[in-house]
Amino acid sequence: MSEFSMSRRALLAGAAAIPMASGLGVGWASAAGHMQGAQIPRVSRFGVGDFEVTTLLVGSRTVEEPQGIFGMNVDADEFATVSSEARIPIDKTQFFFTPTLVNTGSELILFDTGLNGAATAQAVEMAGYSADVVTHVVLTHMHGDHIGGLMTDGAETFGNAAYITGQAEFDHWSGTDNEGFANNVKPLAEKMSFLADGGSVTSGITAMAAFGHTPGHMTYMLDSNDQQFLIFADVANHYVWSLAHPDWEVRFDMDKAAAAASRRNVLGMLAADGVPFIGYHMPFPGVGYVETRGDGFHYMPHSYQLLL
């Protein structure tokens, strides 16, 4: 077993013990009436074949006027109807930012780095690792919320890692004056290797192009011991207003027609093959399945399938 390995049985046993231990030593009378506020877990771990996958919540924020971001090409009544049917408000939404760790047994691979290095390194530590044991950092694309954690105070957050990204994505941003690219990606350019569609990160992890959100946006298919799982990044940015309605325009999609085509292609594949996925902006832990519904799709959150 490598230094990155963890027994799934031990993990589940430890998790099962938490509720039993949580009340020990607590002064219930003194705590009565003290509101704790809403809380979201920050780490979720499960298995994909012989791989161990951990999703990391490195940030979450409330955003107002969501139709300024999602469903920009539909009228307000349609947006309101769809939202009502899904039991979600139309005046605000919650954003989630979820990098993914994949432990292959010999490598510890981080997909995307969040908004800043400190928060992402902290989440990695909460998952049971330190930033210096991450062996590879893979960038699905180069929007700021995916590259913001590459550097911390001018130094590499994951100093022992190799860096991998799509060639088309790097080439696009290197031809711009984008500040995030200049500050976070360009200093690491000499240490980067580049992939095209179908390229391999390591055995069992393959790049799959899904252009449109950005010019070189990539997804990554995990394939281990007859199980598959897709890290699909920003193919869809919301489980209703984007995934369920793939033709609804999203402000952050740089080529809106190409992004919609990629959504239909990727979601159709996931639905047909029954492959689970992690979406970077899906409600944490961000893991689920897709089924076809009418002319669109429906998101089914993961429950316990990948824990068995």
Side-chain angles (χ1 to χ4, degrees), residues 1-2 4-8 45-54 101-108 129 203-205 222-229 306 308:
M1 230 177 243
S2 81
F4 305 126
S5 299
M6 178 180 290
S7 162
R8 191 181 307 174
R45 181 178 285 121
F46 51 90
V48 175
D50 295 326
F51 293 166
E52 201 166 68
V53 180
T54 307
L101 274 174
V102 177
N103 181 345
T104 69
S106 56
E107 301 108 344
L108 185 65
Y129 307 105
S203 178
I205 304 180
L222 312 185
D223 196 332
S224 174
N225 197 20
D226 297 324
Q227 284 189 269
Q228 289 187 311
F229 183 90
L306 299 172
L308 301 177

Side-chain angles (χ1 to χ4, degrees), residues 30 36 51 72 82 163 224 243 245 248 305:
S30 63
Q36 299 292 330
F51 293 166
M72 299 173 66
V82 166
Y163 301 95
S224 174
L243 183 152
H245 299 272
W248 283 19
Q305 301 96 319

Side-chain angles (χ1 to χ4, degrees), residues 88-105:
I88 52 177
I90 62 172
D91 62 334
K92 61 183 67 175
T93 187
Q94 192 72 19
F95 276 20
F96 303 86
F97 304 88
T98 311
T100 299
L101 274 174
V102 177
N103 181 345
T104 69

Side-chain angles (χ1 to χ4, degrees), residues 106-299:
S106 56
E107 301 108 344
L108 185 65
I109 305 170
L110 176 65
F111 289 83
D112 294 324
T113 66
L115 298 129
N116 69 81
T120 303
Q122 181 188 58
V124 168
E125 290 174 2
M126 292 177 70
Y129 307 105
S130 59
D132 60 358
V133 299
V134 173
T135 61
H136 300 76
V137 173
V138 179
L139 302 175
T140 62
H141 64 292
M142 296 185 183
H143 277 162
D145 55 325
H146 295 254
I147 63 172
L150 284 169
M151 307 290 285
T152 302
D153 297 328
E156 296 176 50
T157 306
F158 306 99
N160 293 323
Y163 301 95
I164 301 171
T165 194
Q167 184 73 65
E169 185 74 0
F170 182 88
D171 290 348
H172 167 78
W173 292 103
S174 64
T176 72
D177 59 357
N178 181 267
E179 183 178 356
F181 178 88
N183 291 339
N184 293 288
V185 180
K186 191 174 181 179
L188 306 173
E190 295 300 320
K191 300 180 67 174
M192 285 191 171
S193 57
F194 303 99
L195 294 176
D197 184 27
S200 178
V201 174
T202 189
S203 178
I205 304 180
T206 304
M208 298 175 61
F211 299 167
H213 180 66
T214 60
H217 182 274
M218 288 282 199
T219 65
Y220 289 87
M221 181 66 80
L222 312 185
D223 196 332
S224 174
N225 197 20
D226 297 324
Q227 284 189 269
Q228 289 187 311
F229 183 90
L230 186 69
I231 297 173
F232 99 161
D234 285 17
V235 169
N237 295 105
H238 190 277
Y239 72 106
V240 176
W241 300 323
S242 185
L243 183 152
H245 299 272
D247 299 322
W248 283 19
E249 291 184 356
V250 179
R251 190 177 80 198
F252 303 123
D253 289 341
M254 296 174 68
D255 183 331
K256 292 175 173 49
S262 286
R263 273 193 289 277
R264 285 202 171 274
N265 180 48
V266 173
L267 294 170
M269 175 198 69
L270 294 174
D273 297 342
V275 174
F277 74 98
I278 165 70
Y280 193 80
H281 296 292
M282 295 296 113
F284 193 78
V287 181
Y289 298 81
V290 178
E291 66 177 5
T292 56
R293 181 170 292 186
D295 189 44
F297 300 91
H298 178 68
Y299 176 61

